[in-house]
Amino acid sequence: MTTSSAPGKIILFGEHAVVYGRPALAVPVTKVHAEVEVSDSERKGIWIDAPDVDLHAELNTLASDHPIASVIHNFLFLARVSPFPNLQLEISSTIPVASGLGSGAAVTVALTRALAAHLSHSMRDEEVNAFTYEIEKIHHGTPSGIDNTVITYARPVYFVKGQPAETFRVGEPFTIVIADTGIAAPTRESVADVRKLWESDKKRWENVFAEIGDISFAARRVIEEGWVKMLGALMDENQTLLQQMTVSSPELDTLVEAARQAGALGAKLSGGGRGGNMIALVEPEHAETVSRSLKEAGAKHTIITQVV
Ligand code: PMV
């Protein structure tokens, strides 16, 4: 039997601007994770149990573009495993689905590594990362690649589209509260709306993206040096620019304000915006108070996580 697990992720700085070549920072969220267990089976075929998504099936009964089936098919093809072995796969995840926490990429990374280990197919991190990016493309069109990178390396990442990922060191651990508005907001749509803005006035929006890029650049240094208190102001600045880009929403603004009122050092939306998640930087001793205030202000659930 072989097991593997992978964390969730959250974008700290630079969403949307990253689509236009500016840097973004993202970190793993170890509080939540996807886990996969692979064992040999007496039954013929590859049997999948994923109770979180109510999936109990043999591989060949699933459509080939099913997210889990496509990982298995592509892996077995890549690893040139033939004939298919008889396997039992147990897949579970505590990462909320479709909420910007990278649940899809985490399942892919854990599943790929568990299969590779069980079938003695050695795979370097770079290969797991590249493979997961290909799978992400099947399901998400044109992802920037930030999710697969953070989740594969389980390290903070400084990400510039099209460039090799740079992981970086955290000088001093810090605590963030993640709060979910509970509003499903497809990233595709907010990305398309930002593109319309950009097309209507490229000079103006390139300037805004450049400002955000400068914030991400500064934030990396601040995190590496462990100047945690300075991070809050950078989050607030980034949030103001995201509001100008129309990707915040009344619900996100309410949560950001509630977090600041409850003592957060800074707060902003995270990911595509319009709904989904926001994040607040907090002193560890204020984490519970901020989390409670966020719930009172309408958050559907919160996660307190340490970035190390
Ligand atoms: O909602 P998430 O975590 O998938 O983040 C989307 C981030 C964007 O910059 C808006 C889009 C992208 O592909 O990077």
Side-chain angles (χ1 to χ4, degrees):
M1 188 183 84
T2 318
T3 58
S4 183
S5 88
K9 77 98 204 356
I10 197 96
I11 295 181
L12 291 185
F13 294 97
E15 46 277 274
H16 288 288
V18 71
V19 175
Y20 298 82
R22 313 291 175 175
L25 300 190
V27 294
V29 178
T30 48
K31 254 304 177 54
V32 286
H33 63 277
E35 197 166 278
V36 177
E37 189 182 292
V38 182
S39 50
D40 292 328
S41 173
E42 308 267 279
R43 286 188 289 177
K44 197 167 161 37
I46 296 181
W47 291 85
I48 306 154
D49 267 318
D52 303 318
V53 288
D54 206 16
L55 174 67
H56 309 275
E58 203 285 318
L59 178 66
N60 287 319
T61 64
L62 298 175
S64 60
D65 63 352
H66 182 285
I68 291 173
S70 67
V71 176
I72 302 169
H73 278 298
N74 282 297
F75 174 84
L76 294 173
F77 177 73
L78 182 88
R80 295 189 217 135
V81 179
S82 175
F84 283 8
N86 296 333
L87 298 174
Q88 174 67 41
L89 311 182
E90 303 286 338
I91 303 175
S92 62
S93 172
T94 54
I95 308 173
V97 177
S99 66
L101 285 162
S103 68
V107 168
T108 303
V109 167
L111 183 52
T112 305
R113 284 197 173 128
L115 284 168
H118 196 78
L119 300 170
S120 306
H121 175 77
S122 94
M123 250 179 132
R124 286 176 291 121
D125 286 347
E126 300 87 273
E127 292 172 283
V128 173
N129 191 25
F131 178 73
T132 305
Y133 184 56
E134 292 307 317
I135 299 288
E136 290 278 287
K137 280 203 273 189
I138 301 174
H139 304 298
H140 301 295
T142 54
S144 61
I146 199 164
D147 281 28
N148 46 282
T149 306
V150 180
I151 290 167
T152 299
Y153 294 98
R155 293 273 315 277
V157 163
Y158 178 84
F159 185 85
V160 180
K161 205 167 95 178
Q163 292 186 14
E166 291 177 45
T167 55
F168 65 95
R169 186 179 68 74
V170 175
E172 187 76 42
F174 57 94
T175 306
I176 55 176
V177 184
I178 304 167
D180 189 353
T181 57
I183 297 166
T187 294
R188 212 177 322 108
E189 286 172 22
S190 62
V191 168
D193 288 349
V194 171
R195 183 156 298 270
K196 280 187 207 139
L197 285 181
W198 176 74
E199 272 162 1
S200 71
D201 189 347
K202 290 191 181 153
K203 192 157 173 280
R204 172 174 175 205
W205 295 105
E206 281 294 340
N207 281 336
V208 170
F209 301 150
E211 271 187 71
I212 294 177
D214 290 346
I215 292 172
S216 295
F217 186 79
R220 174 184 177 166
R221 179 86 206 280
V222 163
I223 294 172
E224 283 176 331
E225 297 295 336
W227 301 326
V228 174
K229 290 209 167 130
M230 289 172 64
L231 261 192
L234 291 171
M235 281 189 178
D236 292 342
E237 270 179 60
N238 195 161
Q239 172 64 10
T240 303
L241 296 165
L242 287 161
Q243 283 172 324
Q244 289 173 16
M245 285 156 67
T246 75
V247 295
S248 198
S249 68
E251 295 82 2
L252 282 164
D253 289 342
T254 300
L255 294 184
V256 165
E257 202 41 48
R260 290 177 185 156
Q261 293 287 329
L265 301 167
K268 63 182 277 294
L269 69 85
S270 172
R274 299 272 167 81
N277 285 300
M278 57 75 69
I279 52 174
L281 176 73
V282 296
E283 312 258 29
E285 61 273 25
H286 294 153
E288 286 297 343
T289 316
V290 171
S291 164
R292 222 175 9 254
S293 301
L294 283 165
K295 283 187 186 144
E296 281 162 17
K300 293 297 169 284
H301 56 87
T302 61
I303 298 169
I304 298 171
T305 191
Q306 252 223 334
V307 181
V308 291

